[in-house]
Amino acid sequence: MKPADFDFISKLVKERSGLVLTPEKAYLIESRLAPIARAEGMAGVEDVVQALRLQRGALSDKVVDAMTTNETFFYRDKTPFETLEQTVL
């Protein structure tokens, strides 16, 4: 991945989600965006970046979603809510 492409994606992801991607995570961008490229009929991640540079729209939503870990364990764990109820409230 070209450094300029990495910078573009990392800036987009940070703006949209707050997630900070460091240069050693470039492999993660490649692996998570490759399926999007295939689904969109693009040759590779470079094409995804080029498309994002021209127009963000729904593609940027897919990219940000692919780069974030959608963890919901917090909401399934009763302990924080019990603590909130018993200690704070």
Side-chain angles (χ1 to χ4, degrees), residues 32-88:
R32 291 192 179 178
L33 298 190
I36 292 173
R38 284 191 297 276
E40 296 291 321
M42 299 177 185
V45 174
E46 296 81 14
D47 291 344
V48 172
V49 174
Q50 183 62 29
L52 287 170
R53 288 183 194 276
L54 298 174
Q55 181 182 16
R56 293 197 177 177
L59 182 58
S60 65
D61 293 340
K62 291 177 184 179
V63 167
V64 172
D65 187 53
M67 294 308 303
T68 56
T69 303
N70 300 311
E71 177 59 59
T72 62
F73 180 75
F74 176 81
Y75 297 104
R76 292 181 278 134
D77 184 7
K78 294 188 310 185
T79 304
F81 296 104
E82 289 172 350
T83 302
L84 177 66
E85 179 183 50
Q86 295 168 6
T87 305
V88 177

Side-chain angles (χ1 to χ4, degrees), residues 6-21 52-53 56 60-61 63-65 67-68:
F6 171 82
D7 291 341
F8 181 83
I9 293 293
S10 63
K11 183 178 177 187
L12 171 70
V13 171
K14 184 176 181 186
E15 287 173 354
R16 298 281 309 278
S17 72
L19 179 65
V20 176
L21 297 170
L52 287 170
R53 288 183 194 276
R56 293 197 177 177
S60 65
D61 293 340
V63 167
V64 172
D65 187 53
M67 294 308 303
T68 56

